[in-house]
Amino acid sequence: MAKAKQKKKKPVALITGITGQDGSYLADFLLAQGYRVFGTVRRNSTENFERIEHIKHQVELLEVDLLDQMSILSALKKSRPREVYNLAAQSFVPTSWEQPILTGEFTALGVTRMLEGLRMVDRSIRFYQASSSEMFGKVQTVPQNEKTPFYPRSPYGVAKIYGHFITVNYRESYDLFAVSGILFNHESPRRGKEFVTRKVTDAVARIKLGLQKKLLMGSLDAKRDWGFAGDYVRAMWLMLKQSRPMDYVIATGVNHSVKDLLRVAFKHAGLDWQQHVQIDPRFIRPAEVEHLLGDPARARRELGWRPAVSFEKMIHMMVEADIERVELEKHRYRG
């Protein structure tokens, strides 16, 4: 009698920072690819699980603190992943000026603790590190690619460079499949309100619905290469599918100013941004990053990756989601 056909075992992935914007989109993507997905959350945290509410019964959550090596080892042993995506960090640039030491502990040394965990538990695990375009900072060339020198302009950027190079160091020292994705700014309706894109689209919704009159902003001249987070998580996965570990710049190759962001967002809601925006010096960084523009040629060539969502479509998506959300809040408050 023929043996019963064995059920194919699902690949396993562990995502640190699963409750964040990128973590939630990556979890969506991996579940669609047939993965068993584990995610990390901090002990005794007041984390917002709203972004993974729709998949909370499909993912398995583990308590991990990037400051605690033992919790990392425990999570790796419990989940036994094939792939680890290290997305957890103190990721808000202005906060890194207020909490530079804590930013270093999470965003820099936290990467070392993750890599040490892999080295101790299973060196065959493939590791993705979330690097950042903020590492380029005061840019030396335009556009920026994998060979552009780093010149960080914030404690966050400095910490990300440490995380980037410790990943390279472990790859070369211990033969780990460890890669960094140098991701340029990527946004979505799941972006935190503290980030400029979401700050703008949330304000547009409130102004549109009569709940707010003015939006206070810092520099309007800074330029960013903005893409859609849902596109960028696919690039993370593709990096771990390659035959050899390589670092990649992930970007659209097109940048826009904060003024462009305001124009597109307000116009989509039928508003004139100049009637509602005021400059407030409190929102200007001690050292501003003026001009980030990524060159994704290697990712296009070797990963076959291209963004599917345009800047305008992404901002429209965010404005519509915020109008819908604020309307619900308004009705709830009245009720």
Side-chain angles (χ1 to χ4, degrees), residues 18-20 24 46-56 189-191 193 198 321-322 325 328-329 332:
I18 194 171
T19 60
S24 64
T46 54
E47 284 201 68
N48 185 350
F49 291 85
E50 181 183 355
R51 296 184 185 97
I52 59 169
E53 188 67 29
H54 63 294
I55 54 169
K56 66 180 181 180
R190 299 181 193 176
R191 190 53 136 164
K193 291 182 188 176
R198 187 71 195 292
D322 274 329
R325 178 185 54 79
L328 286 172
E329 288 177 3
R332 198 176 299 128

Side-chain angles (χ1 to χ4, degrees), residues 116-271:
E116 268 295 283
L118 267 62
R119 186 181 69 83
M120 296 167 71
V121 173
D122 183 354
R123 296 191 190 188
S124 72
I125 297 171
R126 295 195 166 200
F127 179 80
Y128 171 86
Q129 165 60 17
S131 286
S132 167
S133 59
E134 288 286 331
M135 301 189 305
F136 294 120
K138 188 176 180 180
V139 298
Q140 305 301 290
T141 60
V142 178
Q144 296 89 51
N145 61 28
E146 292 82 2
K147 294 181 179 179
T148 302
F150 298 136
Y151 194 142
R153 299 275 279 171
S154 67
Y156 170 77
V158 173
K160 278 293 185 182
I161 288 175
Y162 177 98
H164 180 86
F165 278 118
I166 200 67
T167 301
V168 173
N169 186 258
Y170 269 68
R171 176 169 74 213
E172 295 177 349
S173 301
Y174 300 115
D175 197 30
L176 296 178
F177 193 107
V179 303
S180 288
I182 307 173
L183 270 58
F184 279 66
N185 295 67
H186 46 288
E187 318 297 321
S188 75
R190 299 181 193 176
R191 190 53 136 164
K193 291 182 188 176
E194 68 273 21
F195 291 87
V196 67
T197 48
R198 187 71 195 292
K199 175 183 176 179
V200 168
T201 60
D202 178 68
V204 167
R206 293 181 181 282
I207 291 168
K208 177 72 174 177
L209 297 172
L211 300 177
Q212 186 173 322
K213 291 185 178 180
K214 296 294 181 181
L215 168 61
L216 303 180
M217 296 289 293
S219 171
L220 303 188
D221 297 321
K223 291 186 175 181
R224 295 290 183 273
D225 185 328
W226 275 302
F228 175 56
D231 287 335
Y232 284 42
V233 299
R234 180 165 44 87
M236 300 176 188
W237 177 75
L238 286 169
M239 287 183 217
L240 296 191
K241 295 300 174 190
Q242 302 309 297
S243 58
R244 62 191 180 110
M246 294 281 287
D247 304 324
Y248 292 89
V249 162
I250 303 300
T252 68
V254 179
N255 66 6
H256 297 85
S257 67
V258 176
K259 198 176 290 184
D260 293 334
L261 163 64
L262 291 166
R263 178 182 51 78
V264 172
F266 276 88
K267 185 178 179 181
H268 191 62
L271 301 168

Side-chain angles (χ1 to χ4, degrees), residues 248-296:
Y248 292 89
V249 162
I250 303 300
T252 68
V254 179
N255 66 6
H256 297 85
S257 67
V258 176
K259 198 176 290 184
D260 293 334
L261 163 64
L262 291 166
R263 178 182 51 78
V264 172
F266 276 88
K267 185 178 179 181
H268 191 62
L271 301 168
D272 179 356
W273 71 270
Q274 292 176 306
Q275 293 180 7
H276 301 283
V277 175
Q278 289 183 352
I279 304 301
D280 188 331
R282 292 177 301 166
F283 296 112
I284 297 175
R285 296 180 187 177
E288 184 60 80
V289 176
E290 296 293 346
H291 193 180
L292 290 176
L293 175 63
D295 176 5

